[in-house]
Amino acid sequence: AQGETATPLIDQTASHLQHPDIVATSDTQYSRCYGKTDLFFSKDKRDILRAKEICRLCMEKEVCLEGAISRKEEHGVWGAKEAREIRSIATRRRLVARGVIKEV
């Protein structure tokens, strides 16, 4: 309708995802996902896409992704990647480290 403002896709909250395996640090205080556990652990494709979009704009994205890789996360969206993508990244890194494939 005319004069209405569309609801933004991205929540402007700057904080950190509440997850039992994560301890908040000064580095994570600026994350955008705090309190959105249902969204980041949803199986609904729309939720997953929204979670990834929130991650893409987050300044903690790389730290989050690296943490998920080191913890071998099996569920959720971390650093704009789903668990299957995180496993793929970890596998690729192992193969590169062993010299089986070349880094691209």
Side-chain angles (χ1 to χ4, degrees):
Q2 198 170 6
E4 288 184 21
T5 305
T7 304
L9 175 63
I10 305 306
D11 186 324
Q12 297 302 315
T13 304
S15 51
H16 154 62
L17 181 65
Q18 293 175 336
H19 186 275
D21 296 335
I22 297 176
V23 177
T25 67
S26 59
D27 292 338
T28 59
Q29 70 180 332
Y30 300 108
S31 299
R32 302 174 60 88
C33 52
Y34 183 81
K36 297 176 181 71
T37 305
D38 290 345
L39 181 67
F40 282 79
F41 288 92
S42 175
K43 294 189 186 292
D44 182 290
K45 290 295 181 190
R46 289 172 297 190
D47 288 346
I48 292 168
L49 290 173
R50 184 160 186 258
K52 286 180 168 186
E53 191 62 28
I54 290 169
C55 287
R56 281 186 192 97
L57 300 174
C58 182
M59 62 166 66
E60 297 298 323
K61 177 176 66 178
E62 297 302 322
V63 172
C64 183
L65 178 59
E66 291 304 319
I69 291 169
S70 69
R71 291 187 307 276
K72 299 177 181 168
E73 285 291 346
E74 295 183 14
H75 305 286
V77 173
W78 302 89
K81 304 290 183 195
E82 295 175 60
R84 65 180 171 76
E85 295 170 300
I86 292 167
R87 285 190 300 274
S88 178
I89 292 167
T91 299
R92 181 163 188 73
R93 286 181 181 180
R94 282 192 303 274
L95 293 173
V96 168
R98 293 180 191 155
V100 174
I101 62 173
K102 294 186 184 216
E103 191 167 0
V104 179

